[in-house]
Amino acid sequence: SSDLHFGKAAPEVVEMFSIEIERQKPDLVVLSGDFTQVGSSREFKQAREFIDKITAPVFTIPGNHDIPRFNTMDRFIDPMKRYRKYISPLVDTIHEDDYCYVVGINTARPVLPHWNWANGMISKAQVDFVHRSFRYAPNNKARIFVCHHPLVNVQNAPIDTVVWGSTDLMEVLEAQQVDVVLTGHIHHASILPYKDARGPVMVGSASATSTRLRIQGNGYNIIRLFEDKIDIEL
């Protein structure tokens, strides 16, 4: 799931989503960024309360809205301070359980060499981190990568994204035989293969609880892992 956007989230939708998560009894809940609308402490506290209600393990990475919009000092000196305080101490992180090996990175930046600062960026150090992480992943587990920004543009999506460094990252994901890439940001659920049938399947998530909808309604995705296949339900 992705794009909770507390501050612009409908309380009744948040409540329904909480109930829905518990009803599905997941082994892992992945939340791929934009926990808040403007990155305020009040919004982060609401997001933390939401996460605390989830009984399953939760895997998170930040989004561009999780950088404070109005606190200039925090925005430029320590943009992830509130995310680390309220959501998770690490912005690039790994989760491993009996079924899957998950690597996630922070693609959000306070400033970009592009007119649209909402776009994402991946550093060389992050590409190296992903490469090292998957190199040691057990072969018998599903390999899943998570970031906020889509790494390829989705047909009929409401907005296009530019992610600096995504080409180098995709090469690593393909070489390391990653199965699935999970992203958010554009509030649009999608599933598409990367390079015909080679490389990971790219899965985009709709916004779970934001009232700022573009084309699709609120939603989330379910990924079911089997020994010989992976089922993805939008």
Side-chain angles (χ1 to χ4, degrees):
S1 173
S2 194
D3 296 82
L4 295 162
H5 285 287
F6 280 97
K8 276 271 186 254
E12 64 277 14
V13 180
V14 172
E15 181 62 26
M16 280 161 58
F17 187 40
S18 270
I19 293 165
E20 188 63 14
I21 290 172
E22 296 308 305
R23 189 178 73 80
Q24 294 291 354
K25 298 185 173 59
D27 296 297
L28 179 68
V29 175
V30 174
L31 301 173
S32 59
D34 280 3
F35 293 88
T36 67
Q37 184 62 22
V38 298
S40 69
S41 295
R42 186 178 69 86
E43 291 171 348
F44 271 119
K45 281 176 191 161
Q46 291 176 324
R48 181 72 253 167
E49 283 168 19
F50 172 82
I51 292 168
D52 284 343
K53 287 183 189 158
I54 300 172
T55 51
V58 178
F59 181 92
T60 68
I61 47 96
N64 52 292
H65 278 264
D66 299 322
I67 296 171
R69 188 184 297 177
F70 300 117
N71 185 325
T72 315
M73 192 79 102
D74 274 0
R75 181 177 180 90
F76 294 108
I77 292 169
D78 190 357
M80 287 298 147
K81 184 166 94 176
R82 289 176 188 166
Y83 174 87
R84 289 197 315 270
K85 178 180 176 183
Y86 291 105
I87 307 297
S88 170
L90 295 173
V91 297
D92 296 340
T93 182
I94 297 167
H95 164 89
E96 184 179 2
D97 59 30
D98 293 344
Y99 314 102
C100 61
Y101 189 94
V102 188
V103 178
I105 62 166
N106 167 33
T107 53
R109 300 291 187 273
V111 184
L112 286 170
H114 188 278
W115 65 270
N116 184 354
W117 288 4
N119 282 325
M121 186 170 183
I122 298 152
S123 68
K124 176 156 190 337
Q126 287 178 308
V127 174
D128 292 344
F129 167 76
V130 174
H131 181 246
R132 282 196 318 274
S133 302
F134 280 120
R135 236 173 71 200
Y136 300 111
N139 287 330
N140 62 338
K141 296 180 183 181
R143 295 178 173 210
I144 298 171
F145 176 76
V146 188
C147 67
H148 180 65
H149 294 84
L151 301 175
V152 295
N153 276 321
V154 178
Q155 210 177 358
N156 302 324
I159 50 174
D160 281 348
T161 55
V162 177
V163 182
W164 305 87
S166 59
T167 310
D168 293 346
L169 179 69
M170 284 309 306
E171 282 175 13
V172 166
L173 297 178
E174 197 177 348
Q176 296 300 318
Q177 298 179 314
V178 170
D179 298 299
V180 181
V181 171
L182 306 179
T183 60
H185 185 59
I186 59 173
H187 298 198
H188 191 83
S190 63
I191 175 168
L192 72 158
Y194 177 71
K195 285 193 178 173
D196 304 321
R198 287 183 301 115
V201 173
M202 317 297 283
V203 180
S205 180
S207 166
T209 56
S210 175
T211 52
R212 285 178 60 206
L213 300 172
R214 297 198 171 103
I215 299 170
Q216 300 177 343
N218 295 115
Y220 66 98
N221 303 332
I222 298 176
I223 293 163
R224 295 182 181 90
L225 306 175
F226 300 93
E227 272 185 32
D228 58 340
K229 64 171 181 171
I230 297 174
D231 272 355
I232 299 162
E233 185 183 339
L234 305 181

